[in-house]
Amino acid sequence: MAYDLSAANETLLEFERLVREGKTAPWSGNLKVGVDLGTANIVVAVVDEENRPVAGMTTPSRVVRDGIVVDYVGAVSAVTRMKRELEERLGCTLERAATAIPPGILAGNVRCIANVIEGAGFEVSNVIDEPTAAATVLGIDSGAVVDVGGGTTGISVLKDGAVEFTGDEPTGGTHMTLVLAGFHHCTTDEAEEMKKDPKQESNVFPVVRPVVEKMASIVSRYLRSHPTDAIYVVGGACCFTQFESVFEKNIGIPTYKPEVPLLVTPLGIAMNA
Ligand SMILES: Nc1ncnc2c1ncn2[C@@H]1O[C@H](COP(=O)(O)OP(=O)(O)OP(=O)(O)O)[C@@H](O)[C@H]1O
Ligand SMILES: [Mg+2]
């Protein structure tokens, strides 16, 4: 039986609308805040006590690479700006925030990520792992969560609500952009734009398909020693319409993709705050 993502999708589409329109939704009780410092995007998500999306903001960013803060001052100023803007929209201050770390990150880098959040004026309520954040939004307690971000692909196997195994590979959307730029002899900025344009997907996907197949073979290798019966793909680089079918065909395990895969982990961080 196909896993039903409809409740998760409804929540994600509502969160996406709030982010896109710069709006807030009515809320009850205390607000929970999550900050996702990604390689490609910084996202701040706000939900209420019932885990309903209340507000959110996303900013393209180059201050973090694969979970490592490469521009501390830039990161603090970006998060500070986003905090201020959201507080203005909400008409209240946001004091505490949770953040997340990709699977397999070292302790020193965790501290550094927390320092950015604190530098922006938040008290860090907790630091959770990214797959757990995604699983909360998806409403799952078992299966493999594959987060294909800008710089890395994180693989996590969950069983009965616990993270049983995590792996991390240096491949993601940036790699797809490089392949596309090489193919078209254009700059990476041009390739990035082309890649994200839905109108160009039928020309783009055949070029980046080998990258997706390579990712699938990596995931498949991990899952051989950690068998599971469902794969959930999240992260911006799995936006392509055919992404999950390439995974499913190459790995042989049913693969599901929620709506707005870019926002799953950030929203889940707020839900776990
Ligand atoms: N519509 C789209 N089609 C294809 N790729 C996309 C699309 N939108 C975003 N991307 C890609 O998704 C990647 C960003 O995804 P995401 O925001 O999940 O990464 P991140 O969390 O910032 O990075 P990481 O998790 O690696 O630190 C970028 O490489 C971007 O080019
Ligand atoms: Mg990410």
Side-chain angles (χ1 to χ4, degrees), residues 15-264:
F15 181 53
E16 192 264 341
R17 184 187 69 81
L18 295 171
V19 170
R20 185 168 26 88
E21 296 178 355
K23 296 259 171 67
T24 62
W27 72 91
S28 63
N30 291 319
L31 291 174
K32 301 193 285 181
V33 183
V35 181
D36 185 2
L37 293 175
T39 303
N41 301 294
I42 299 180
V43 187
V44 180
V46 184
V47 302
D48 72 3
E49 280 175 3
E50 311 292 325
N51 283 346
R52 281 181 302 234
V54 174
M57 235 185 125
T58 176
T59 305
S61 143
R62 294 188 175 173
V63 296
V64 176
R65 297 278 154 78
D66 311 340
I68 293 165
V69 180
V70 293
D71 174 4
Y72 180 79
V73 175
V76 170
S77 85
V79 178
T80 305
R81 239 181 300 119
M82 295 171 85
K83 178 178 188 283
R84 203 176 300 142
E85 162 83 37
L86 285 167
E87 287 174 339
E88 240 160 66
R89 276 185 214 167
L90 292 160
C92 65
T93 55
L94 301 170
E95 269 148 35
R96 289 149 58 83
T99 188
I101 46 162
I105 196 168
L106 302 171
N109 297 322
V110 177
R111 191 59 242 157
C112 202
I113 287 175
N115 284 346
V116 170
I117 314 295
E118 280 169 4
F122 283 116
E123 182 192 326
V124 177
S125 60
N126 52 334
V127 181
I128 66 161
D129 60 282
E130 290 185 348
T132 303
T136 305
V137 177
L138 300 172
I140 55 163
D141 73 349
S142 294
V145 175
V146 179
D147 184 344
V148 196
T152 53
T153 294
I155 303 131
S156 312
V157 180
L158 290 107
K159 207 168 218 169
D160 302 324
V163 180
E164 197 187 58
F165 164 81
T166 65
D168 197 37
E169 288 288 332
T171 178
T174 309
H175 192 177
M176 294 174 176
T177 302
L178 290 174
V179 169
L180 203 57
F183 184 85
H184 288 290
H185 304 289
C186 64
T187 66
T188 50
D189 284 349
E190 288 163 347
E192 176 72 16
E193 208 157 292
M194 189 190 299
K195 185 185 75 172
K196 293 200 281 194
D197 178 2
K199 289 200 285 297
Q200 304 214 47
E201 186 168 339
S202 57
N203 299 323
V204 166
F205 196 72
V207 179
V208 302
R209 190 187 177 106
V211 181
V212 181
E213 286 170 342
K214 174 78 183 167
M215 288 168 177
S217 84
I218 292 169
V219 172
S220 182
R221 198 163 359 99
Y222 278 115
L223 295 185
R224 229 172 280 152
S225 46
H226 298 88
T228 188
D229 53 11
I231 296 172
Y232 302 89
V233 288
V234 301
C238 72
C239 284
F240 298 104
T241 318
Q242 292 178 56
F243 190 99
E244 62 272 33
S245 63
V246 171
F247 255 52
E248 190 162 308
K249 191 159 153 255
N250 281 267
I251 306 174
I253 298 173
T255 303
Y256 307 104
K257 180 173 70 183
E259 301 279 353
V260 223
L262 261 166
L263 295 179
V264 176

Side-chain angles (χ1 to χ4, degrees), residues 260-272:
V260 223
L262 261 166
L263 295 179
V264 176
T265 301
L267 185 61
I269 300 171
M271 289 180 175
N272 281 282

